[in-house]
Amino acid sequence: MFATKILVKFIRANRILPWIVNNFEIRATYFLIRHPCATIASQLETGIRGYFLPKSVPIPKEIVLKEAQQIPNIKDNEWLMEKLNTITTQEEILAAIWSMDNYVPLLYLNSHQNAWYTVVYEKLITDFDEEIKKVFGYINEAVPEEVYERFKKPSSTTHDKSHLGTQEQLSKWRGKTI
């Protein structure tokens, strides 16, 4: 590879994000967060859930409970652990996973304000021009022109391209029947 800059997208690293920023010298780190229902609808539709299980194999609740036991502020919360014990559906399991995946970096950010720049996916869609300036401003760079062209191209996991570039892109998950 020949590049002057590199961007690494690591969507399964949320819970280790504090460790990454504490152990590696990285110019800038970004944390991308998306509405939980949109995330869960996408996971149910694509089967991409981060546990290397085929789409047809449900994620067992025991995975969530085991992982919750590894997060001090969660495992020590009796009420929360009782609630986690009641989840049964894949939607509930994925919601619990989304919550833990985002809880860890958000809790860390609460006490380390400048550890990374948090990008809210919905804000990026609704106010791209302003938000992308902030994203590049975080590293003191101007927004390259090609960013605007690339913004118009869907990701490889996008199946329904009918709402691209519109506000409906943010709410299409509501019409999903999985």
Side-chain angles (χ1 to χ4, degrees):
M1 287 191 286
F2 298 100
T4 58
K5 299 176 184 120
I6 188 166
L7 173 69
V8 177
K9 178 182 176 184
F10 193 174
I11 60 172
R12 302 287 177 236
N14 285 10
R15 292 188 218 170
I16 63 168
L17 194 54
W19 178 83
I20 290 171
V21 299
N22 285 324
N23 288 285
F24 295 96
E25 288 188 34
I26 302 172
R27 179 178 178 199
T29 304
Y30 295 89
F31 170 60
L32 179 65
I33 190 167
R34 187 173 185 196
H35 191 288
C37 294
T39 302
I40 293 163
S42 174
Q43 291 172 333
L44 291 170
E45 180 180 30
T46 65
I48 301 170
R49 305 165 298 169
Y51 288 88
F52 306 108
L53 297 170
K55 183 178 181 178
S56 60
V57 176
I59 297 173
K61 173 171 91 171
E62 291 71 31
I63 286 178
V64 174
L65 297 175
K66 182 180 176 186
E67 291 178 354
Q69 287 296 325
Q70 297 173 11
I71 304 171
N73 290 30
I74 294 177
K75 77 175 183 180
D76 298 335
N77 184 322
E78 189 177 314
W79 176 85
L80 186 54
M81 289 305 296
E82 284 178 22
K83 290 293 183 191
L84 286 173
N85 274 301
T86 68
I87 63 175
T88 56
T89 68
Q90 281 301 285
E91 291 84 357
E92 290 171 332
I93 289 168
L94 290 170
I97 292 167
W98 181 95
S99 298
M100 289 186 295
D101 285 348
N102 290 285
Y103 175 79
V104 171
L106 291 173
L107 179 66
Y108 183 85
L109 193 60
N110 191 38
S111 60
H112 299 83
Q113 290 297 314
N114 295 317
W116 52 74
Y117 183 82
T118 300
V119 181
V120 177
Y121 176 82
E122 288 75 11
K123 178 78 171 156
L124 200 56
I125 298 301
T126 59
D127 195 4
F128 180 76
D129 290 338
E130 186 61 33
E131 191 60 23
I132 203 67
K133 288 176 187 170
K134 291 177 183 177
V135 166
F136 277 89
Y138 183 70
I139 57 172
N140 297 316
E141 292 206 15
V143 181
E145 279 303 312
E146 61 265 20
V147 167
Y148 295 99
E149 273 307 306
R150 290 191 181 213
F151 174 69
K152 297 174 187 173
K153 293 181 182 178
S155 76
S156 60
T157 58
T158 301
H159 297 287
D160 178 5
K161 297 173 176 51
S162 62
H163 300 296
L164 289 176
T166 69
Q167 293 286 338
E168 288 80 30
Q169 183 175 349
L170 299 178
S171 60
K172 67 182 180 182
W173 59 266
R174 294 177 189 206
K176 301 278 184 197
T177 53
I178 309 290

mmCIF file of all heavy atoms in Angstrom, residues 67-99:
data_model
loop_
_atom_site.group_PDB
_atom_site.id
_atom_site.type_symbol
_atom_site.label_atom_id
_atom_site.label_comp_id
_atom_site.label_asym_id
_atom_site.label_seq_id
_atom_site.Cartn_x
_atom_site.Cartn_y
_atom_site.Cartn_z
ATOM 1 N N GLU A 67 -20.716 -11.927 28.837
ATOM 2 C CA GLU A 67 -20.029 -10.669 28.534
ATOM 3 C C GLU A 67 -20.374 -9.589 29.554
ATOM 4 O O GLU A 67 -19.525 -8.783 29.913
ATOM 5 C CB GLU A 67 -20.355 -10.229 27.115
ATOM 6 C CG GLU A 67 -19.735 -11.139 26.074
ATOM 7 C CD GLU A 67 -20.067 -10.763 24.645
ATOM 8 O OE1 GLU A 67 -20.885 -9.845 24.423
ATOM 9 O OE2 GLU A 67 -19.492 -11.393 23.751
ATOM 10 N N ALA A 68 -21.609 -9.570 30.015
ATOM 11 C CA ALA A 68 -22.011 -8.584 31.025
ATOM 12 C C ALA A 68 -21.213 -8.776 32.310
ATOM 13 O O ALA A 68 -20.885 -7.802 33.000
ATOM 14 C CB ALA A 68 -23.506 -8.691 31.301
ATOM 15 N N GLN A 69 -20.864 -10.016 32.614
ATOM 16 C CA GLN A 69 -20.073 -10.319 33.815
ATOM 17 C C GLN A 69 -18.647 -9.791 33.727
ATOM 18 O O GLN A 69 -17.945 -9.734 34.723
ATOM 19 C CB GLN A 69 -20.051 -11.831 34.069
ATOM 20 C CG GLN A 69 -21.355 -12.381 34.582
ATOM 21 C CD GLN A 69 -21.723 -11.817 35.947
ATOM 22 O OE1 GLN A 69 -20.859 -11.555 36.789
ATOM 23 N NE2 GLN A 69 -23.005 -11.604 36.162
ATOM 24 N N GLN A 70 -18.214 -9.390 32.530
ATOM 25 C CA GLN A 70 -16.862 -8.871 32.343
ATOM 26 C C GLN A 70 -16.801 -7.348 32.410
ATOM 27 O O GLN A 70 -15.717 -6.778 32.310
ATOM 28 C CB GLN A 70 -16.310 -9.368 31.003
ATOM 29 C CG GLN A 70 -16.180 -10.877 30.949
ATOM 30 C CD GLN A 70 -15.799 -11.373 29.574
ATOM 31 O OE1 GLN A 70 -15.432 -10.612 28.692
ATOM 32 N NE2 GLN A 70 -15.885 -12.674 29.389
ATOM 33 N N ILE A 71 -17.938 -6.703 32.547
ATOM 34 C CA ILE A 71 -17.991 -5.238 32.587
ATOM 35 C C ILE A 71 -18.390 -4.818 33.997
ATOM 36 O O ILE A 71 -19.545 -4.981 34.397
ATOM 37 C CB ILE A 71 -18.984 -4.692 31.536
ATOM 38 C CG1 ILE A 71 -18.615 -5.202 30.139
ATOM 39 C CG2 ILE A 71 -19.025 -3.164 31.574
ATOM 40 C CD1 ILE A 71 -19.642 -4.914 29.062
ATOM 41 N N PRO A 72 -17.427 -4.287 34.778
ATOM 42 C CA PRO A 72 -17.673 -4.005 36.203
ATOM 43 C C PRO A 72 -18.957 -3.232 36.503
ATOM 44 O O PRO A 72 -19.724 -3.648 37.354
ATOM 45 C CB PRO A 72 -16.432 -3.210 36.623
ATOM 46 C CG PRO A 72 -15.369 -3.682 35.697
ATOM 47 C CD PRO A 72 -16.059 -3.935 34.381
ATOM 48 N N ASN A 73 -19.197 -2.146 35.830
ATOM 49 C CA ASN A 73 -20.379 -1.330 36.156
ATOM 50 C C ASN A 73 -21.682 -2.026 35.793
ATOM 51 O O ASN A 73 -22.739 -1.630 36.276
ATOM 52 C CB ASN A 73 -20.309 0.021 35.451
ATOM 53 C CG ASN A 73 -19.228 0.899 36.019
ATOM 54 O OD1 ASN A 73 -18.209 0.421 36.511
ATOM 55 N ND2 ASN A 73 -19.435 2.192 35.963
ATOM 56 N N ILE A 74 -21.617 -3.031 34.960
ATOM 57 C CA ILE A 74 -22.825 -3.780 34.603
ATOM 58 C C ILE A 74 -22.993 -4.960 35.552
ATOM 59 O O ILE A 74 -24.057 -5.155 36.132
ATOM 60 C CB ILE A 74 -22.785 -4.224 33.125
ATOM 61 C CG1 ILE A 74 -22.828 -2.991 32.217
ATOM 62 C CG2 ILE A 74 -23.933 -5.179 32.819
ATOM 63 C CD1 ILE A 74 -22.713 -3.274 30.737
ATOM 64 N N LYS A 75 -21.945 -5.755 35.738
ATOM 65 C CA LYS A 75 -22.063 -6.952 36.579
ATOM 66 C C LYS A 75 -22.394 -6.602 38.033
ATOM 67 O O LYS A 75 -23.016 -7.383 38.741
ATOM 68 C CB LYS A 75 -20.801 -7.806 36.509
ATOM 69 C CG LYS A 75 -19.633 -7.285 37.304
ATOM 70 C CD LYS A 75 -18.481 -8.259 37.278
ATOM 71 C CE LYS A 75 -17.351 -7.748 38.143
ATOM 72 N NZ LYS A 75 -16.224 -8.642 38.158
ATOM 73 N N ASP A 76 -21.992 -5.409 38.476
ATOM 74 C CA ASP A 76 -22.258 -4.992 39.852
ATOM 75 C C ASP A 76 -23.638 -4.358 40.036
ATOM 76 O O ASP A 76 -24.022 -4.030 41.150
ATOM 77 C CB ASP A 76 -21.187 -4.002 40.316
ATOM 78 C CG ASP A 76 -19.801 -4.632 40.304
ATOM 79 O OD1 ASP A 76 -19.700 -5.871 40.410
ATOM 80 O OD2 ASP A 76 -18.815 -3.886 40.162
ATOM 81 N N ASN A 77 -24.382 -4.213 38.952
ATOM 82 C CA ASN A 77 -25.712 -3.608 39.009
ATOM 83 C C ASN A 77 -26.748 -4.741 39.034
ATOM 84 O O ASN A 77 -27.091 -5.313 38.003
ATOM 85 C CB ASN A 77 -25.907 -2.700 37.792
ATOM 86 C CG ASN A 77 -27.212 -1.953 37.825
ATOM 87 O OD1 ASN A 77 -28.236 -2.483 38.239
ATOM 88 N ND2 ASN A 77 -27.176 -0.718 37.360
ATOM 89 N N GLU A 78 -27.207 -5.057 40.223
ATOM 90 C CA GLU A 78 -28.126 -6.185 40.408
ATOM 91 C C GLU A 78 -29.402 -6.035 39.573
ATOM 92 O O GLU A 78 -29.866 -6.985 38.948
ATOM 93 C CB GLU A 78 -28.468 -6.310 41.904
ATOM 94 C CG GLU A 78 -29.230 -7.565 42.242
ATOM 95 C CD GLU A 78 -29.463 -7.672 43.748
ATOM 96 O OE1 GLU A 78 -28.503 -7.444 44.509
ATOM 97 O OE2 GLU A 78 -30.602 -7.986 44.124
ATOM 98 N N TRP A 79 -29.973 -4.829 39.566
ATOM 99 C CA TRP A 79 -31.203 -4.582 38.805
ATOM 100 C C TRP A 79 -30.985 -4.854 37.315
ATOM 101 O O TRP A 79 -31.789 -5.517 36.675
ATOM 102 C CB TRP A 79 -31.662 -3.131 39.014
ATOM 103 C CG TRP A 79 -32.865 -2.768 38.207
ATOM 104 C CD1 TRP A 79 -34.172 -2.986 38.547
ATOM 105 C CD2 TRP A 79 -32.879 -2.147 36.916
ATOM 106 N NE1 TRP A 79 -35.005 -2.534 37.538
ATOM 107 C CE2 TRP A 79 -34.225 -2.009 36.522
ATOM 108 C CE3 TRP A 79 -31.888 -1.692 36.059
ATOM 109 C CZ2 TRP A 79 -34.600 -1.440 35.315
ATOM 110 C CZ3 TRP A 79 -32.264 -1.126 34.853
ATOM 111 C CH2 TRP A 79 -33.604 -1.007 34.496
ATOM 112 N N LEU A 80 -29.874 -4.344 36.791
ATOM 113 C CA LEU A 80 -29.569 -4.524 35.369
ATOM 114 C C LEU A 80 -29.329 -5.992 35.037
ATOM 115 O O LEU A 80 -29.806 -6.496 34.018
ATOM 116 C CB LEU A 80 -28.363 -3.675 34.980
ATOM 117 C CG LEU A 80 -28.001 -3.633 33.505
ATOM 118 C CD1 LEU A 80 -29.182 -3.219 32.639
ATOM 119 C CD2 LEU A 80 -26.831 -2.690 33.287
ATOM 120 N N MET A 81 -28.607 -6.690 35.882
ATOM 121 C CA MET A 81 -28.356 -8.113 35.637
ATOM 122 C C MET A 81 -29.661 -8.911 35.673
ATOM 123 O O MET A 81 -29.846 -9.836 34.879
ATOM 124 C CB MET A 81 -27.346 -8.668 36.642
ATOM 125 C CG MET A 81 -25.923 -8.161 36.428
ATOM 126 S SD MET A 81 -25.264 -8.431 34.756
ATOM 127 C CE MET A 81 -25.221 -10.212 34.687
ATOM 128 N N GLU A 82 -30.578 -8.518 36.552
ATOM 129 C CA GLU A 82 -31.892 -9.182 36.578
ATOM 130 C C GLU A 82 -32.632 -8.953 35.260
ATOM 131 O O GLU A 82 -33.248 -9.872 34.714
ATOM 132 C CB GLU A 82 -32.736 -8.666 37.752
ATOM 133 C CG GLU A 82 -32.328 -9.215 39.087
ATOM 134 C CD GLU A 82 -33.162 -8.643 40.225
ATOM 135 O OE1 GLU A 82 -34.290 -8.164 39.993
ATOM 136 O OE2 GLU A 82 -32.663 -8.676 41.375
ATOM 137 N N LYS A 83 -32.566 -7.733 34.748
ATOM 138 C CA LYS A 83 -33.208 -7.417 33.462
ATOM 139 C C LYS A 83 -32.580 -8.229 32.329
ATOM 140 O O LYS A 83 -33.276 -8.746 31.464
ATOM 141 C CB LYS A 83 -33.103 -5.919 33.142
ATOM 142 C CG LYS A 83 -33.943 -5.042 34.010
ATOM 143 C CD LYS A 83 -35.404 -5.286 33.734
ATOM 144 C CE LYS A 83 -36.261 -4.366 34.549
ATOM 145 N NZ LYS A 83 -37.669 -4.745 34.508
ATOM 146 N N LEU A 84 -31.259 -8.318 32.311
ATOM 147 C CA LEU A 84 -30.573 -9.089 31.271
ATOM 148 C C LEU A 84 -30.982 -10.563 31.317
ATOM 149 O O LEU A 84 -31.053 -11.224 30.287
ATOM 150 C CB LEU A 84 -29.052 -8.951 31.387
ATOM 151 C CG LEU A 84 -28.470 -7.624 30.936
ATOM 152 C CD1 LEU A 84 -26.979 -7.551 31.261
ATOM 153 C CD2 LEU A 84 -28.697 -7.408 29.445
ATOM 154 N N ASN A 85 -31.259 -11.073 32.492
ATOM 155 C CA ASN A 85 -31.686 -12.463 32.627
ATOM 156 C C ASN A 85 -33.063 -12.719 32.026
ATOM 157 O O ASN A 85 -33.418 -13.866 31.779
ATOM 158 C CB ASN A 85 -31.664 -12.896 34.097
ATOM 159 C CG ASN A 85 -30.301 -13.394 34.500
ATOM 160 O OD1 ASN A 85 -29.787 -14.343 33.920
ATOM 161 N ND2 ASN A 85 -29.709 -12.740 35.489
ATOM 162 N N THR A 86 -33.832 -11.649 31.777
ATOM 163 C CA THR A 86 -35.191 -11.834 31.237
ATOM 164 C C THR A 86 -35.249 -11.767 29.708
ATOM 165 O O THR A 86 -36.293 -12.047 29.133
ATOM 166 C CB THR A 86 -36.167 -10.777 31.807
ATOM 167 O OG1 THR A 86 -35.800 -9.488 31.304
ATOM 168 C CG2 THR A 86 -36.170 -10.790 33.329
ATOM 169 N N ILE A 87 -34.151 -11.388 29.047
ATOM 170 C CA ILE A 87 -34.207 -11.261 27.597
ATOM 171 C C ILE A 87 -34.330 -12.639 26.953
ATOM 172 O O ILE A 87 -33.779 -13.625 27.444
ATOM 173 C CB ILE A 87 -32.994 -10.488 27.021
ATOM 174 C CG1 ILE A 87 -31.684 -11.231 27.294
ATOM 175 C CG2 ILE A 87 -32.943 -9.067 27.568
ATOM 176 C CD1 ILE A 87 -30.463 -10.597 26.648
ATOM 177 N N THR A 88 -35.086 -12.686 25.829
ATOM 178 C CA THR A 88 -35.276 -13.972 25.161
ATOM 179 C C THR A 88 -35.171 -13.877 23.643
ATOM 180 O O THR A 88 -34.586 -14.743 23.020
ATOM 181 C CB THR A 88 -36.647 -14.587 25.526
ATOM 182 O OG1 THR A 88 -37.671 -13.646 25.195
ATOM 183 C CG2 THR A 88 -36.719 -14.961 26.994
ATOM 184 N N THR A 89 -35.719 -12.813 23.062
ATOM 185 C CA THR A 89 -35.751 -12.728 21.595
ATOM 186 C C THR A 89 -34.409 -12.266 21.047
ATOM 187 O O THR A 89 -33.607 -11.670 21.772
ATOM 188 C CB THR A 89 -36.837 -11.742 21.125
ATOM 189 O OG1 THR A 89 -36.456 -10.423 21.511
ATOM 190 C CG2 THR A 89 -38.200 -12.097 21.708
ATOM 191 N N GLN A 90 -34.178 -12.518 19.758
ATOM 192 C CA GLN A 90 -32.948 -12.055 19.122
ATOM 193 C C GLN A 90 -32.860 -10.535 19.137
ATOM 194 O O GLN A 90 -31.793 -9.977 19.306
ATOM 195 C CB GLN A 90 -32.842 -12.582 17.688
ATOM 196 C CG GLN A 90 -32.383 -14.015 17.609
ATOM 197 C CD GLN A 90 -31.016 -14.225 18.248
ATOM 198 O OE1 GLN A 90 -29.992 -13.861 17.680
ATOM 199 N NE2 GLN A 90 -30.993 -14.824 19.446
ATOM 200 N N GLU A 91 -34.000 -9.866 18.996
ATOM 201 C CA GLU A 91 -34.001 -8.408 19.057
ATOM 202 C C GLU A 91 -33.523 -7.925 20.422
ATOM 203 O O GLU A 91 -32.727 -6.994 20.526
ATOM 204 C CB GLU A 91 -35.398 -7.844 18.755
ATOM 205 C CG GLU A 91 -35.842 -8.021 17.328
ATOM 206 C CD GLU A 91 -36.460 -9.382 17.009
ATOM 207 O OE1 GLU A 91 -36.505 -10.269 17.891
ATOM 208 O OE2 GLU A 91 -36.889 -9.576 15.863
ATOM 209 N N GLU A 92 -33.996 -8.577 21.489
ATOM 210 C CA GLU A 92 -33.581 -8.195 22.844
ATOM 211 C C GLU A 92 -32.102 -8.508 23.071
ATOM 212 O O GLU A 92 -31.382 -7.712 23.684
ATOM 213 C CB GLU A 92 -34.429 -8.940 23.877
ATOM 214 C CG GLU A 92 -35.868 -8.485 23.923
ATOM 215 C CD GLU A 92 -36.740 -9.379 24.789
ATOM 216 O OE1 GLU A 92 -36.444 -10.588 24.942
ATOM 217 O OE2 GLU A 92 -37.733 -8.851 25.331
ATOM 218 N N ILE A 93 -31.660 -9.639 22.576
ATOM 219 C CA ILE A 93 -30.253 -10.025 22.730
ATOM 220 C C ILE A 93 -29.359 -9.038 21.980
ATOM 221 O O ILE A 93 -28.354 -8.566 22.517
ATOM 222 C CB ILE A 93 -30.045 -11.483 22.258
ATOM 223 C CG1 ILE A 93 -30.694 -12.425 23.280
ATOM 224 C CG2 ILE A 93 -28.566 -11.804 22.058
ATOM 225 C CD1 ILE A 93 -30.825 -13.863 22.826
ATOM 226 N N LEU A 94 -29.741 -8.687 20.747
ATOM 227 C CA LEU A 94 -28.952 -7.729 19.974
ATOM 228 C C LEU A 94 -28.982 -6.340 20.617
ATOM 229 O O LEU A 94 -27.985 -5.613 20.581
ATOM 230 C CB LEU A 94 -29.432 -7.679 18.527
ATOM 231 C CG LEU A 94 -29.126 -8.935 17.701
ATOM 232 C CD1 LEU A 94 -29.840 -8.887 16.361
ATOM 233 C CD2 LEU A 94 -27.632 -9.126 17.519
ATOM 234 N N ALA A 95 -30.110 -5.977 21.217
ATOM 235 C CA ALA A 95 -30.198 -4.687 21.917
ATOM 236 C C ALA A 95 -29.262 -4.668 23.123
ATOM 237 O O ALA A 95 -28.590 -3.660 23.389
ATOM 238 C CB ALA A 95 -31.634 -4.411 22.344
ATOM 239 N N ALA A 96 -29.193 -5.774 23.850
ATOM 240 C CA ALA A 96 -28.287 -5.855 24.998
ATOM 241 C C ALA A 96 -26.837 -5.770 24.536
ATOM 242 O O ALA A 96 -26.015 -5.079 25.152
ATOM 243 C CB ALA A 96 -28.535 -7.149 25.773
ATOM 244 N N ILE A 97 -26.528 -6.442 23.447
ATOM 245 C CA ILE A 97 -25.165 -6.388 22.900
ATOM 246 C C ILE A 97 -24.837 -4.972 22.449
ATOM 247 O O ILE A 97 -23.762 -4.445 22.746
ATOM 248 C CB ILE A 97 -25.002 -7.407 21.749
ATOM 249 C CG1 ILE A 97 -25.065 -8.831 22.309
ATOM 250 C CG2 ILE A 97 -23.697 -7.169 20.988
ATOM 251 C CD1 ILE A 97 -25.222 -9.916 21.245
ATOM 252 N N TRP A 98 -25.773 -4.318 21.724
ATOM 253 C CA TRP A 98 -25.556 -2.932 21.294
ATOM 254 C C TRP A 98 -25.288 -2.053 22.513
ATOM 255 O O TRP A 98 -24.391 -1.204 22.494
ATOM 256 C CB TRP A 98 -26.775 -2.411 20.524
ATOM 257 C CG TRP A 98 -26.609 -1.013 20.031
ATOM 258 C CD1 TRP A 98 -26.180 -0.619 18.799
ATOM 259 C CD2 TRP A 98 -26.847 0.205 20.766
ATOM 260 N NE1 TRP A 98 -26.128 0.755 18.720
ATOM 261 C CE2 TRP A 98 -26.525 1.283 19.917
ATOM 262 C CE3 TRP A 98 -27.282 0.479 22.050
ATOM 263 C CZ2 TRP A 98 -26.644 2.609 20.312
ATOM 264 C CZ3 TRP A 98 -27.396 1.811 22.457
ATOM 265 C CH2 TRP A 98 -27.084 2.853 21.580
ATOM 266 N N SER A 99 -26.060 -2.259 23.563
ATOM 267 C CA SER A 99 -25.914 -1.436 24.768
ATOM 268 C C SER A 99 -24.537 -1.600 25.393
ATOM 269 O O SER A 99 -23.890 -0.614 25.752
ATOM 270 C CB SER A 99 -26.989 -1.807 25.789
ATOM 271 O OG SER A 99 -28.275 -1.553 25.259
#
